[in-house]
Amino acid sequence: MQHNIFTTMRSLKIMDGCKGTQVFAINPSGTTPTNGGVGDKVGHSRVNSVRSRSNWSFQAPNPTGNNALVESLLPYELPSSDLLEPQIEPCLKTVDFVETLADVYRRIENCPQFEKSKMYVEQCAIFRGMSDPKLFRRSLRSARQHAVDVHAKVVLAAWLRYERREDELVGSSSMTCCGRNVECPKASLAAGYDPESVYDSCCCSRSGGDVDGEAADADEECSTSKEEEADMSFYIGEDEIMCVRYRIASLSTPFRTMLYGGFTETRRQKINFSQNGVSPEAMRAVEVFSRTGKLDSFEVRIVLDLLSFSNRFCCDELKSACDAHLASLVCELEDAMVLIDYGLEETAYLLVAACLQVFLRELPNSVHNPNMMRLFCSAEARQRLAMAGHSSFVLYYFLSQIAMEEDMKSNTTVMLLERLGECATESWEKQLAFHQLGVVMLERQEYKDAQCWFELAIEAGHVYSMVGVARAKFKRGHKYVAYKQMNSLISEHTPVGWMYQERSLYSNGKEKMMDLNTATQLDPTLSYPYKFRAVSLLEENQIGAAITEINKIISFKVSPDCLELRAWFSIAMEDCEGALRDVRALLTLDPNYMMFHGKLHGDHLVELLQPLVQQWSQADCWMQLYDRWSSVDDIGSLAVVHHMLANDPGKSLLRFRQSLLLLRLNCQKSAMHSLRLARNHSTSEHERLVYEGWILYDTGHREEALAKAEESISLQRSFEAFFLKAYALADSNLDSESSTYVIQLLEEALRCPSDGLRKGQALNNLGSVYVDSEKLDLAADCYTNALNIKHTRAHQGLARVYHLKNQRKAAYDEMTKLIEKARNNASAYEKRSEYCDRDMAKNDLSMATQLDPLRTYPYRYRAAVLMDDHKEAEAIEELSKAIAFKPDLQLLHLRAAFHESMSDFVSTVRDCEAALCLDPNHADTHELYGKARERLNEQQR
């Protein structure tokens, strides 16, 4: 069958389709497959893919036989290099990123205390463009820590919750408290600035402890107050409301003036209040409040009347009480939907904040609710929020980012970004808002508007938006103008990779390839150059070379679009197994991914390819997973797990394995999604607690993770619970006592039932603790036992043991074994370099950089060697080369130290500030920073 399929594909001249404009035609009686609405939801994936933006026309085929695959793939072409485009990133991007980091750090350190929250939000915007989400979350926590007003607390706390995507946890309410003030809904509504207590336990668990006492106090106060004798009354229609004159007068200046200011009412004991739009019930409530200061006994509608009354008669204390009372009642979305309009109408700050908090904590689902979006999207809605004190840049920044993630091209996204621009006052805020509007308009194919927004961003100081202007002009038919603009940008600034990448779009032939190669040299993390070179090779019928080229980036940066491209190539090579592997892996990263120019859902392609490969039972799958895991083939392992989940979607253990693989591939967002699914599908309480513990640990909540592990162990002793506890405890500087305890925990884990994959990891970790405790023989035993159950990474630990025993050759040989066995072996080359002479080390590190340019140790090693050889300029250049595309803490610290040794204290200070922006608690950098500033001050005296 497979032979017939590909014979047919060859007869259709599929490779000629790579060179020409047409390949296949759709049967006139048929219809083009559509995404059935799913494609709109995943529009962001299309930007990254090899999909076409043009209308497709095809040559009519004449296939023979019932070939499902061929018939299904007929409407689609292989990728064309002319249709590839790099994504314009919707974030702040600077030409000199190190200087940007240093500048932000300086301003955070020197700004007034009450301004720090806004500065941290700016830092969030800068970190948004970096690959490590932990940096963004840390800045977001700092922004919440230093938030001054209730509005900022509500928005930032909700944003923190969203980043953990608790909405995906089954059984979790939007108003569930995490146990800390930093995200507590009640703490967010408390006024005041207290950054020191933000990470403390909140009062939720203690609420209600003294309710009876408080009620008794209130009753006592109320009964005491009633002993006062009424000396006046208000008439509303036929109703008389007896009051204490001085109590009513104390409510506001207008009442005090009316009752004691020489007016007619001053001398009257009975005052007609019928024409003031106040109901008798509301006036009675006013009288009660004037004596007791309490609202607890009144219905909501009465309190709403009191709120309106307080505004009409300037009763500030009454308004504050009504505002706080109503805010305390908002617990669910239904409450918020009812009360928000009252709050906005009466400018009730806390009430609006409470309603806003519910809406924001319901995100991302709220984005699709038109009743909620009407409160934010229009200019009039923003003005209403502003009147109530709840319109801000950070609010619209949060909303617009989620809208862009959900559907970049939607009208809701455009309107929220327009409001973001209206709220922008600082230059960086305008840069971000206008640039993102440009990106969205470009995506909507509204090129003239896109160009205008990009130009506004440039006026605000965002140089990167010149890429958007060039792209918009290119789309409008001005290719040469776009080329000249990028040429000018390169000549006016220190060149960076994305400049050459963009210019390559507007050139041809050798010049295009030169620009793409330069872009890769300056920034090897850019995927477009690899994709273009690979597709160009495909068009020359060099499919093997095309796969080799795309493998270069997949080996260190996995993304759905690159996996999709490799799947195309595999289909062209008649490698159905390879294609199926990559499609399954990309569906793990993005389950809604649309392939073949956005026309075919990935799941459907799996269905088409599945009959063409060897069929596996679930037992076969476990064996395949074991083999791939052992050979450090993470993408292959992902594909097997995806296959197994198709047969058993509720298997939490498989979801957990999936999350571990995704973390190894540095796909943190997808990994956390899989971990949440593992938690949702857990079949027991103790298992659910373990997964919740891992979620907490991976989002920076180590102590809470330990508590979950201990609770799980108290319910049932299990491998995963002990392993989690040991792992979390080991994530610190262990003393001898702590190390002994971690060892005991890992030994307990190994006594519990588990599979070889996890036991191998536990043995590996146990060996590492033994090494740190200088128990080398015990460590060697652990690593050997791990290798016996095919935990290949244990070669690295065993090599370390040999090295510490001064058996360098044995250590080198051990790492060679790992290199030979592991599919992903960049780290093995890096580690092996530690066990050989300088020349061999250089070769290994060169190979490590070639396989994974994101690994920083090779750059640091080469730079240190150059410094030892007194080649200071070359050493600085080696580090700068890596810092340009990966501003890493260790790289920046080392370059700062090199600058300091050369007495270049200005550069030392700058690099230290950039490093401290990434990690404010890095002690060595703080020490170097202090010394450099002292020396710099001495020079300037």
Side-chain angles (χ1 to χ4, degrees):
M1 181 179 179
Q2 182 170 336
H3 171 75
N4 293 334
I5 289 170
F6 288 108
T7 300
T8 305
M9 293 177 76
R10 280 193 290 271
S11 71
L12 294 172
K13 298 181 180 179
I14 193 169
M15 291 314 302
D16 291 343
C18 303
K19 302 173 183 177
T21 58
Q22 300 183 20
V23 185
F24 309 125
I26 305 173
N27 189 314
S29 64
T31 57
T32 303
T34 63
N35 56 23
V38 179
D40 290 340
K41 186 176 181 181
V42 294
H44 63 281
S45 297
R46 189 184 63 77
V47 178
N48 295 323
S49 76
V50 295
R51 299 162 192 167
S52 165
R53 288 179 173 84
S54 63
N55 293 322
W56 294 84
S57 57
F58 308 100
Q59 174 185 339
N62 185 24
T64 59
N66 297 321
N67 192 317
L69 178 62
V70 174
E71 289 179 0
S72 299
L73 300 186
L74 287 184
Y76 318 121
E77 293 186 16
L78 287 173
S80 168
S81 58
D82 294 335
L83 299 172
L84 295 174
E85 287 184 4
Q87 178 188 15
I88 296 179
E89 297 182 37
C91 58
L92 292 179
K93 203 174 182 73
T94 61
V95 176
D96 188 349
F97 194 60
V98 172
E99 180 54 43
T100 299
L101 292 175
D103 176 63
V104 169
Y105 177 78
R106 284 193 299 270
R107 289 188 288 125
I108 288 175
E109 289 300 300
N110 297 325
C111 74
Q113 196 77 355
F114 289 169
E115 296 295 319
K116 284 190 181 294
S117 183
K118 290 182 179 179
M119 284 302 310
Y120 280 117
V121 172
E122 180 180 353
Q123 190 181 55
C124 285
I126 292 168
F127 285 157
R128 196 62 159 178
M130 298 183 69
S131 60
D132 187 356
K134 293 179 182 178
L135 292 173
F136 178 84
R137 287 199 298 264
R138 192 201 69 210
S139 292
L140 199 58
R141 282 195 294 269
S142 296
R144 167 61 185 91
Q145 177 183 4
H146 292 278
V148 177
D149 55 69
V150 167
H151 171 78
K153 292 178 182 179
V154 163
V155 174
L156 293 167
W159 200 339
L160 281 169
R161 181 183 186 276
Y162 172 78
E163 287 298 314
R164 292 192 290 109
R165 292 309 302 263
E166 286 213 355
D167 59 285
E168 293 184 356
L169 298 180
V170 173
S172 175
S173 165
S174 63
M175 299 301 286
T176 299
C177 178
C178 71
R180 303 279 179 181
N181 285 327
V182 66
E183 288 185 43
C184 175
K186 293 181 180 179
S188 297
L189 292 175
Y193 177 70
D194 188 9
E196 303 305 320
S197 68
V198 73
Y199 296 116
D200 293 346
S201 298
C202 64
C203 62
C204 289
S205 58
R206 302 189 300 273
S207 61
D210 195 30
V211 172
D212 294 339
E214 292 175 3
D217 292 343
D219 290 342
E220 183 179 347
E221 180 181 354
C222 183
S223 61
T224 302
S225 301
K226 285 180 180 178
E227 293 177 1
E228 294 179 291
E229 187 173 340
D231 54 2
M232 62 161 292
S233 62
F234 288 101
Y235 271 88
I236 300 176
E238 299 296 323
D239 293 283
E240 179 181 13
I241 297 93
M242 303 296 295
C243 302
V244 178
R245 181 180 294 267
Y246 87 91
R247 292 281 189 184
I248 298 297
S250 67
L251 291 176
S252 70
T253 299
F255 273 120
R256 186 165 57 252
T257 303
M258 180 180 73
L259 297 176
Y260 288 105
F263 290 93
T264 304
E265 287 82 0
T266 305
R267 298 184 297 274
R268 290 180 177 175
Q269 290 186 332
K270 297 180 180 180
I271 299 172
N272 191 338
F273 222 58
S274 300
Q275 304 303 314
N276 287 285
V278 181
S279 68
E281 294 91 342
M283 200 62 210
R284 287 192 184 92
V286 170
E287 186 277 326
V288 173
F289 179 82
S290 72
R291 289 184 292 103
T292 67
K294 302 292 183 181
L295 298 170
D296 299 343
S297 60
F298 302 122
E299 296 178 7
V300 172
R301 63 179 183 85
I302 298 297
V303 180
L304 288 171
D305 287 344
L306 292 182
L307 180 61
S308 177
F309 179 94
S310 66
N311 269 333
R312 190 178 307 165
F313 296 102
C314 306
C315 304
D316 294 339
E317 185 180 349
L318 175 59
K319 180 176 181 177
S320 296
C322 292
D323 194 9
H325 178 73
L326 291 169
S328 70
L329 302 179
V330 180
C331 299
E332 298 177 353
L333 184 58
E334 186 177 350
D335 303 330
M337 293 299 295
V338 169
L339 294 174
I340 182 67
D341 287 318
Y342 289 101
L344 291 170
E345 184 69 25
E346 302 297 342
T347 63
Y349 181 75
L350 278 180
L351 175 57
V352 174
C355 296
L356 189 64
Q357 177 165 250
V358 174
F359 298 152
L360 296 180
R361 293 173 74 93
E362 287 283 344
L363 288 168
N365 297 328
S366 316
V367 172
H368 306 291
N369 186 331
N371 290 326
M372 279 193 273
M373 285 300 103
R374 70 176 174 82
L375 301 168
F376 303 107
C377 287
S378 69
E380 294 77 13
R382 188 188 71 81
Q383 291 170 358
R384 289 184 77 198
L385 286 169
M387 291 291 292
H390 287 284
S391 173
S392 67
F393 182 87
V394 70
L395 169 65
Y396 280 100
Y397 184 21
F398 179 28
L399 290 170
S400 61
Q401 300 317 291
I402 295 175
M404 289 177 71
E405 289 178 15
E406 292 294 302
D407 184 355
M408 186 175 280
K409 296 187 289 185
S410 71
N411 291 334
T412 296
T413 300
V414 173
M415 289 188 287
L416 289 172
L417 285 171
E418 288 174 342
R419 305 293 82 76
L420 181 69
E422 292 169 0
C423 292
T425 55
E426 303 290 334
S427 62
W428 75 268
E429 295 174 344
K430 294 177 183 178
Q431 291 173 29
L432 180 65
F434 299 154
H435 178 73
Q436 291 188 334
L437 272 164
V439 170
V440 169
M441 291 303 177
L442 195 68
E443 187 67 15
R444 287 161 62 101
Q445 300 183 3
E446 299 176 22
Y447 301 127
K448 187 175 181 180
D449 288 343
Q451 182 177 331
C452 291
W453 287 116
F454 283 130
E455 287 171 345
L456 285 173
I458 293 170
E459 288 178 18
H462 195 231
V463 176
Y464 177 62
S465 292
M466 292 183 72
V467 169
V469 173
R471 190 77 63 88
K473 288 180 178 178
F474 171 63
K475 291 293 187 180
R476 298 175 68 195
H478 306 296
K479 183 175 180 179
Y480 183 62
V481 176
Y483 176 84
K484 287 205 306 183
Q485 183 162 343
M486 292 311 302
N487 218 29
S488 174
L489 182 64
I490 290 171
S491 63
E492 292 172 4
H493 297 86
T494 302
V496 289
W498 53 262
M499 295 180 185
Y500 286 95
Q501 173 179 266
E502 188 66 23
R503 191 174 72 172
S504 73
L505 277 179
Y506 316 125
S507 56
N508 299 298
K510 291 183 178 179
E511 185 179 357
K512 188 184 195 79
M513 282 299 182
M514 286 176 61
D515 276 351
L516 289 171
N517 292 337
T518 303
T520 299
Q521 289 170 8
L522 293 173
D523 186 353
T525 67
L526 297 172
S527 63
Y528 170 74
Y530 299 94
K531 290 159 62 177
F532 185 90
R533 288 189 292 262
V535 174
S536 298
L537 289 166
L538 177 72
E539 291 171 340
E540 297 171 1
N541 281 346
Q542 300 182 50
I543 307 178
I547 290 178
T548 299
E549 181 63 29
I550 202 65
N551 280 345
K552 290 178 183 177
I553 189 165
I554 290 176
S555 67
F556 68 90
K557 185 181 178 183
V558 178
S559 61
D561 57 316
C562 290
L563 289 171
E564 178 191 13
L565 200 57
R566 192 167 71 176
W568 283 75
F569 298 161
S570 297
I571 289 172
M573 285 189 71
E574 309 183 10
D575 179 8
C576 285
E577 288 188 357
L580 186 57
R581 173 203 62 210
D582 287 340
V583 176
R584 287 192 180 281
L586 75 83
L587 286 172
T588 303
L589 298 175
D590 184 352
N592 295 316
Y593 197 83
M594 302 296 294
M595 300 187 64
F596 291 112
H597 318 296
K599 298 176 182 177
L600 182 71
H601 197 288
D603 283 333
H604 185 45
L605 184 56
V606 169
E607 293 172 5
L608 297 175
L609 290 169
Q610 185 65 44
L612 307 178
V613 301
Q614 182 179 353
Q615 304 303 300
W616 295 336
S617 66
Q618 201 75 341
D620 294 330
C621 286
W622 274 109
M623 293 300 297
Q624 292 292 332
L625 178 59
Y626 201 94
D627 289 342
R628 283 162 172 73
W629 197 291
S630 299
S631 61
V632 197
D633 178 8
D634 295 333
I635 292 176
S637 298
L638 271 185
V640 175
V641 171
H642 185 272
H643 186 180
M644 297 170 77
L645 284 167
N647 299 328
D648 191 2
K651 192 76 171 179
S652 59
L653 175 65
L654 291 174
R655 291 290 181 188
F656 181 54
R657 295 290 193 277
Q658 191 178 64
S659 72
L660 297 174
L661 289 164
L662 288 164
L663 282 175
R664 288 201 328 210
L665 290 167
N666 202 30
C667 301
Q668 296 190 33
K669 185 176 180 180
S670 297
M672 295 307 297
H673 176 68
S674 294
L675 197 50
R676 288 188 289 270
L677 288 175
R679 179 264 186 198
N680 290 344
H681 287 105
S682 55
T683 56
S684 63
E685 178 72 5
H686 73 88
E687 185 184 19
R688 180 182 62 79
L689 288 167
V690 168
Y691 298 141
E692 288 178 354
W694 280 115
I695 291 170
L696 288 164
Y697 178 82
D698 288 335
T699 52
H701 301 277
R702 177 173 169 271
E703 296 301 322
E704 290 87 344
L706 282 169
K708 291 285 185 181
E710 289 167 357
E711 186 178 354
S712 178
I713 291 170
S714 70
L715 295 175
Q716 181 169 324
R717 297 162 59 86
S718 69
F719 174 92
E720 292 298 348
F722 281 116
F723 187 89
L724 169 60
K725 186 173 181 181
Y727 196 94
L729 284 173
D731 186 19
S732 61
N733 294 322
L734 296 177
D735 54 28
S736 59
E737 183 178 350
S738 299
S739 295
T740 301
Y741 186 45
V742 170
I743 289 169
Q744 291 172 355
L745 290 171
L746 288 171
E747 288 174 341
E748 287 294 333
L750 289 166
R751 293 189 187 102
C752 298
S754 186
D755 57 72
L757 299 177
R758 294 298 282 159
K759 291 210 170 186
Q761 182 66 60
L763 285 165
N764 198 62
N765 289 11
L766 183 56
S768 179
V769 179
Y770 277 136
V771 169
D772 292 338
S773 303
E774 299 181 353
K775 299 176 181 179
L776 300 183
D777 290 336
L778 290 173
D781 290 341
C782 287
Y783 292 129
T784 301
N785 290 334
L787 289 170
N788 288 338
I789 54 175
K790 293 189 177 181
H791 187 78
T792 309
R793 282 184 167 87
H795 283 296
Q796 183 172 314
L798 196 54
R800 184 184 174 197
V801 171
Y802 287 139
H803 178 64
L804 291 172
K805 290 184 173 182
N806 294 319
Q807 300 174 23
R808 198 171 183 185
K809 177 64 167 60
Y812 181 87
D813 291 342
E814 205 65 38
M815 291 310 299
T816 302
K817 294 176 185 176
L818 179 56
I819 289 171
E820 292 170 349
K821 293 180 180 179
R823 177 71 65 92
N824 301 323
N825 53 19
S827 64
Y829 278 106
E830 179 182 298
K831 291 297 181 183
R832 191 174 71 170
S833 70
E834 300 176 17
Y835 310 132
C836 54
D837 59 41
R838 178 179 287 191
D839 289 337
M840 295 177 68
K842 284 182 178 179
N843 292 334
D844 276 354
L845 292 174
S846 177
M847 180 60 73
T849 298
Q850 181 180 330
L851 293 171
D852 184 356
L854 292 174
R855 303 192 74 85
T856 62
Y857 173 75
Y859 300 98
R860 290 185 280 127
Y861 177 90
R862 288 189 290 264
V865 169
L866 289 166
M867 281 297 283
D868 288 343
D869 294 339
H870 304 289
K871 298 177 180 179
E872 290 86 354
E874 290 91 333
I876 295 290
E877 178 59 28
E878 179 67 24
L879 293 175
S880 300
K881 184 167 59 177
I883 289 170
F885 62 86
K886 185 176 182 180
D888 173 79
L889 172 67
Q890 298 295 336
L891 291 172
L892 286 166
H893 175 79
L894 185 58
R895 192 172 73 171
F898 287 177
H899 283 309
E900 194 252 356
S901 70
M902 298 163 64
S903 299
D904 182 358
F905 300 114
V906 172
S907 298
T908 303
V909 168
R910 179 203 61 204
D911 283 353
C912 284
E913 288 171 340
L916 291 171
C917 187
L918 298 174
D919 184 358
N921 300 316
H922 195 251
D924 291 342
T925 302
H926 269 294
E927 183 180 354
L928 180 59
Y929 183 46
K931 291 178 181 178
R933 290 182 68 182
E934 289 179 9
R935 296 294 299 275
L936 187 60
N937 291 334
E938 290 173 3
Q939 286 183 350
Q940 293 173 349
R941 285 173 190 163

